[in-house]
Amino acid sequence: MKKICSTILCRSSQSLSAFQPPLTIYCRRSFSTMTPPNSHTQPSTPTKDIGGIISKFIEKIRKKSFVIDEKSPLTFPTPATATTTSSHTQTNSLINKFTNKNVNPFEVVSEDLKTMNSDIFSLLINGVGGSSMRAGGPPQTTHPFLSKIATYYFEMKGKRLRPTVALLVAHAVAPSLTTLPQTQHKLAEIIEMIHTASLLHDDVVDESDTRRDHPSANAAFSNKMAILAGDFLLARASISLASLKNFEVTELMSSVLGDLIEGEFMQLKVPKDVSTASKESMEYYLRKTFLKTASLIANGCRCAAILAGASRDVVDAATDYGKNLGLAFQIVDDLLDFTGTDSTLGKPAGADLSLGLATAPVLYASEQFPELSPLILRRFKNEGDVLLARELVAKSDGIQRSHELARYYCNLAIESLHQLSPSLALDALYTLTQIVISRTR
């Protein structure tokens, strides 16, 4: 009879001493269990040595296992540290120091992305054998109208940031490989399909009319069809995920789906006690941002490292990179809602306030202009609320501080990569931080 043991391993998050803020929020990391050797094969041990035996066993597990349900603090700088000249200079110097302007991250994995796109279209259009073959029937191709909606956003060719990051991590942790194995390409497909499914659903929830300069799927085909297409993408992603036959990766990517839904609920239902300028409001915002955006990128990076057979330290480093890059990406996205235009963004600018969302620029601005607090509490529903909020944000330093917050997370992303061996893919990961912080759409 085997005794199955499990352990929870926690690791404190590392950050630069220049950014050692007192405020933290916590995110679920990942999981694993280890099965120790059969109990009947172990020699009897005197009771007095049991403490040493347990310590040795835990250390053995630490060397072999990945993290279970880790609480890794998502830190952010206080207003003082975020705006000081020294911290601003150090953050920019790190980004500039490690950025190689001659490296285009998307070009580094361009062939991998082509393979990913081709496989996604094949999976969505040609269908899979699945249960029909097991039941004795022929494999069925996808209904043509369903495949049209399911591939609608893929035809628009978006940023593809999420699969790009995962593919670069796969190359960076295994630099000796000239060609990635099929498992890494499948992981990239899964990440992109989950992300695209979330866009289909988000556009329905947000009642969006446009996406990437085109009519949104819900506007073009109806809400019901867009929701069903999003569900279909998640179903196809689940089939690909199962085919990886990796329990850890399956549970990690499955947890992302829960994170996306929980993040959406946090966005739709904000408690009144975190709707004003306070420590709790920023913690709530960052927690929601992690769940809606950074979780998929962080877990995608983690899974890429796991599939590559990387050590636990490297897996953790990849996860930290994805987490911090994902947070920076969304914070920049939130501030672009104030500084961008419809044409540059490819979607309506200023949509967040119209949806009742108080993002980083608004939260920072409310510290200078307390009159924003009642607007935030009523989710900018009254006539003139959106216009007044935009005016107050423009007068405040909310945009500047939000940009500094994004730089802070890019800085942490760079720090997490220092233990990886030099490679073209590593240069590309460094360069992505510059792309994220300087993007205009």
Side-chain angles (χ1 to χ4, degrees), residues 392-408:
L392 293 176
V393 169
K395 292 178 181 178
S396 73
D397 60 1
I399 299 296
Q400 176 189 344
R401 290 174 66 185
S402 298
H403 214 273
E404 182 60 34
L405 184 63
R407 290 192 193 98
Y408 168 75

Side-chain angles (χ1 to χ4, degrees), residues 31-153:
F31 65 92
S32 179
T33 58
M34 292 295 295
T35 303
N38 292 342
S39 58
H40 68 270
T41 62
Q42 302 302 307
S44 59
T45 305
T47 304
K48 63 180 181 180
D49 294 329
I50 190 65
I53 293 296
I54 293 175
S55 297
K56 289 180 180 179
F57 177 72
I58 292 176
E59 183 60 28
K60 184 177 180 180
I61 298 298
R62 287 183 62 86
K63 291 179 180 178
K64 292 186 176 181
S65 72
F66 297 106
V67 183
I68 309 174
D69 196 26
E70 180 182 25
K71 289 183 179 295
S72 177
L74 298 179
T75 60
F76 60 95
T78 61
T81 59
T83 56
T84 57
T85 303
S86 59
S87 64
H88 179 89
T89 303
Q90 182 175 358
T91 306
N92 280 333
S93 64
L94 271 179
I95 295 174
N96 294 333
K97 176 181 178 181
F98 290 98
T99 295
N100 186 340
K101 295 182 179 180
N102 295 321
V103 175
N104 183 333
F106 301 96
E107 286 296 324
V108 173
V109 292
S110 60
E111 292 302 315
D112 296 309
L113 290 172
K114 287 179 183 177
T115 299
M116 179 198 76
N117 284 338
S118 175
D119 290 346
I120 286 176
F121 274 90
S122 177
L123 187 62
L124 297 180
I125 296 173
N126 298 329
V128 293
S131 59
S132 63
M133 292 186 70
R134 292 191 178 91
Q140 300 293 319
T141 57
T142 304
H143 188 287
F145 192 59
L146 175 56
S147 64
K148 179 179 181 180
I149 305 173
T151 58
Y152 183 64
Y153 282 168

Side-chain angles (χ1 to χ4, degrees), residues 220 300 431:
T431 303

